[in-house]
Amino acid sequence: MKRFLCFLAFVFAGCGSALAQVPNDPLSWLGRISSAAHKLNYTGTFTYQSGKHVETSRITHLVDANGEYEKLEALDGSPREVVRNNDEVQCFLPEQRLLIVDQFGARRSFPARLPPSPNALAENYRIRKGEVSRIAGMESQQIILEPRDEMRFGHHFWADVASGLLLRARLVGEKGDSIEQFVFTEVQIGAPFDKEKVRSRFTRSSDWKVVNARGNDVRVEDIGWIFRNSIPGFRQVVSVARQARKERGEAYHVVFSDGLAAISVFIEPESGKGVAQSGLSASGSFNIFRRTVSDHRITVLGEVPAQALVRIADGVEMRKR
């Protein structure tokens, strides 16, 4: 333990100063967790589990005066990488010779699961400290967020006591069941800056297809659709238009978030190839609700209870002209 504390003292410029920054109240802990994910250099391996599905990934996150750089590598199944340079995201799928270019979205990835300013979360979640335990060989403080209504799930976070970096995150259902979980199995905090470590190992040649998935920002007021139903605490954070297919016109993607949970609404012209299935379904940790409105397919999905999706979907209407 003495050697471990001395190591922390070297990495974080003094064991005493690191421990002095440890907050007592849970809301301050959330701010510390949020900051650590974006301001620290770290590299490690983590697992993701939802039901019986388990994936292992490796993440490298580096910071300098120009911003954040990150590489996420899938270690199971087909090779794939996600490389981020500040807000630009590139997804490399070498088996399909495909590169998807997108922008950093509203759904937060591990370990950056919290918004930059988490204080507003107290309006929709009861926040308290839990137990101290060891994860990936580090002392971690548990922070528990219990939803104040039935429109969102709960969250359990475990953060490294010394640095504040999130080591484990669990999404909790209405009955206390685990919906999904991220957890580091090993992590190095304070990794030296080496930009080569956040470059893709795949070389894109001329036969690769490049898909721009970023879309064009639009105002909801201008797209011809109305969202009559709202959910307390959720606000619009994304509204973009994309070309669905050449013959089908534009599709819209609108995202509402409370800072943790995100609800995506996709509005697309019907394909004309039969009647698409409506109603509720699920895919992994996501609930999905579909309905048809004015020859358009409305798809609403998110890691939220089904009633939240139904409420949003039932309020989507085409504006009367």
Side-chain angles (χ1 to χ4, degrees):
M1 180 58 73
K2 288 182 179 180
R3 290 182 180 178
F4 179 68
L5 291 177
C6 288
F7 170 74
L8 291 178
F10 175 76
V11 173
F12 300 107
C15 180
S17 61
L19 294 177
Q21 296 173 2
V22 176
N24 288 320
D25 66 290
L27 195 55
S28 295
W29 260 104
L30 293 184
R32 190 166 182 251
I33 294 169
S34 175
S35 177
H38 296 284
K39 294 183 178 181
L40 293 178
N41 291 349
Y42 51 87
T43 182
T45 303
F46 66 86
T47 60
Y48 167 78
Q49 181 174 8
S50 176
K52 295 181 180 179
H53 178 71
V54 180
E55 292 181 2
T56 306
S57 302
R58 184 163 187 82
I59 188 170
T60 301
H61 179 271
L62 302 175
V63 183
D64 68 5
N66 295 315
E68 295 181 67
Y69 312 91
E70 189 173 276
K71 182 168 77 169
L72 182 66
E73 307 168 77
L75 302 182
D76 304 326
S78 301
R80 55 203 185 279
E81 287 182 350
V82 179
V83 175
R84 179 167 72 90
N85 185 341
N86 289 321
D87 288 336
E88 182 184 83
V89 178
Q90 296 182 325
C91 180
F92 292 83
L93 304 173
E95 290 187 349
Q96 293 98 314
R97 318 294 286 177
L98 178 64
L99 171 63
I100 302 173
V101 181
D102 206 342
Q103 61 189 22
F104 198 49
R107 186 170 184 260
R108 306 189 181 280
S109 58
F110 181 80
R113 299 289 284 175
L114 288 163
S117 301
N119 288 353
L121 295 176
E123 298 177 9
N124 303 298
Y125 299 89
R126 290 180 289 270
I127 305 169
R128 60 184 174 88
K129 291 172 67 176
E131 298 179 347
V132 174
S133 58
R134 283 176 57 79
I135 296 173
M138 300 180 182
E139 297 294 318
S140 67
Q141 173 64 60
Q142 182 188 26
I143 304 296
I144 299 169
L145 287 80
E146 299 171 334
R148 295 184 182 275
D149 58 31
E150 70 284 357
M151 294 295 177
R152 63 206 89 215
F153 292 131
H155 296 262
H156 292 185
F157 297 128
W158 287 262
D160 175 34
V161 170
S163 68
L165 184 68
L166 188 63
L167 301 178
R168 179 183 177 192
R170 186 156 66 102
L171 186 66
V172 181
E174 297 104 322
K175 298 179 181 180
D177 52 313
S178 179
I179 298 173
E180 70 172 8
Q181 176 174 261
F182 298 84
V183 59
F184 273 116
T185 55
E186 61 87 16
V187 61
Q188 178 188 356
I189 303 173
F193 187 92
D194 181 356
K195 205 167 182 180
E196 288 300 316
K197 294 187 179 298
V198 289
R199 298 187 195 279
S200 175
R201 61 189 175 94
F202 302 115
T203 302
R204 181 171 62 88
S205 54
S206 58
D207 62 335
W208 279 54
K209 181 180 180 181
V210 180
V211 175
N212 186 348
R214 284 176 286 202
N216 300 311
D217 292 337
V218 294
R219 296 194 315 159
V220 171
E221 296 82 0
D222 298 335
I223 66 176
W225 291 87
I226 300 172
F227 296 85
R228 295 199 177 277
N229 296 343
S230 62
I231 298 176
F234 282 83
R235 63 181 183 87
Q236 179 198 318
V237 294
V238 172
S239 180
V240 297
R242 298 185 178 95
Q243 186 69 34
R245 289 200 179 125
K246 291 182 180 179
E247 71 278 7
R248 290 175 59 188
E250 284 189 319
Y252 302 108
H253 180 201
V254 181
V255 181
F256 302 92
S257 176
D258 69 353
L260 277 178
I263 299 174
S264 283
V265 182
F266 296 91
I267 304 173
E268 304 170 279
E270 286 280 21
S271 65
K273 297 179 181 180
V275 179
Q277 185 176 2
S278 298
L280 279 168
S281 61
S283 178
S285 60
F286 282 84
N287 283 319
I288 304 168
F289 183 74
R290 297 181 177 91
R291 65 187 289 250
T292 299
V293 179
S294 301
D295 297 324
H296 283 72
R297 167 64 34 178
I298 311 298
T299 303
V300 186
L301 61 88
E303 293 177 312
V304 295
Q307 56 263 38
L309 303 182
V310 174
R311 178 176 177 82
I312 292 293
D314 283 349
V316 179
E317 299 178 5
M318 181 171 279
R319 187 190 302 274
K320 295 181 180 179
R321 297 177 184 253

